[in-house]
Amino acid sequence: MEKKLFEFKTKTLVATGLGAALFTLLFMYVKVPTGIPETDIQTAYGIGAFFAALFGPIAGGLIAFIGHALSDSIQYGSVWWSWVIASGISCFIMGLVYPKMKVDEGEFGKKDIITFNIYQIIANAFAWIVVAPVLDIVIYAEPVSLVFTQGIVAAISNAVSAGVIGSILLVLYSKTRSKKGSLTKES
């Protein structure tokens, strides 16, 4: 069955809600400080990448956008929109790998891990080295040197999180799925 890139089914909606809730909780409580102000290694991007690869760019983008916005609202009382938008864009781009993945059919080998990681590295580099700093400057008039330093650290740490956690989750999930054609009828 060919996957449609922007298909949004009921299971995608459910996955988006669950993913956004998990993303919010991880974003708030499971992070590692980097030493750069307001820039942590966020485990949430591993979950965002996992859901994006399984359900596509719309689910991925909404999970990160909603999860990050909720986290900011709950923790700080306001939303830092430049980074929320960058979060949504990063997981949306990661979701573009969706048609190439057959995780739900029990397949996620070395070639798939490489493909997945190429997408997520590009997504993180674009979102955090371009989108977030430019929006920080345009929206909040933040200092150029600070926002690009934060962006580079965020790109690296989020790529590591998405790469390690996302890959592990995809490998484990693929092992729970039956491979296509693995079930045969006994006579």
Side-chain angles (χ1 to χ4, degrees), residues 22-35:
L22 288 170
F23 192 98
T24 302
L25 292 173
L26 289 173
F27 203 85
M28 290 171 57
Y29 300 115
V30 187
K31 55 190 171 186
V32 179
T34 62

Side-chain angles (χ1 to χ4, degrees), residues 7-16 55:
E7 189 172 48
F8 200 80
K9 302 183 229 177
T10 303
K11 74 177 187 173
T12 310
L13 180 62
V14 172
T16 301
F55 297 100

Side-chain angles (χ1 to χ4, degrees), residues 42-166:
Q42 289 287 358
T43 58
Y45 290 102
I47 288 291
F50 170 71
F51 277 96
L54 284 179
F55 297 100
I58 295 172
L62 287 173
I63 287 166
F65 183 87
I66 293 166
H68 193 151
L70 282 173
S71 172
D72 277 8
S73 296
I74 294 166
Q75 286 184 285
Y76 309 114
S78 65
V79 176
W80 195 264
W81 288 109
S82 54
W83 282 52
V84 169
I85 291 166
S87 283
I89 288 171
S90 71
C91 287
F92 179 89
I93 294 170
M94 287 179 214
L96 296 175
V97 77
Y98 167 72
K100 295 174 178 11
M101 297 289 105
K102 294 182 181 175
V103 181
D104 50 344
E105 296 173 20
E107 295 179 27
F108 194 71
K110 289 179 184 174
K111 181 183 173 214
D112 300 311
I113 292 170
I114 292 167
T115 301
F116 166 74
N117 277 290
I118 288 169
Y119 274 78
Q120 71 85 5
I121 289 167
I122 291 168
N124 277 304
F126 178 71
W128 303 110
I129 298 173
V130 177
V131 176
V134 168
L135 290 178
D136 272 349
I137 293 164
V138 171
I139 298 171
Y140 301 109
E142 289 287 311
V144 173
S145 62
L146 172 65
V147 295
F148 282 101
T149 300
Q150 287 176 321
I152 290 167
V153 170
I156 293 166
S157 64
N158 293 341
V160 168
S161 173
V164 173
I165 296 167

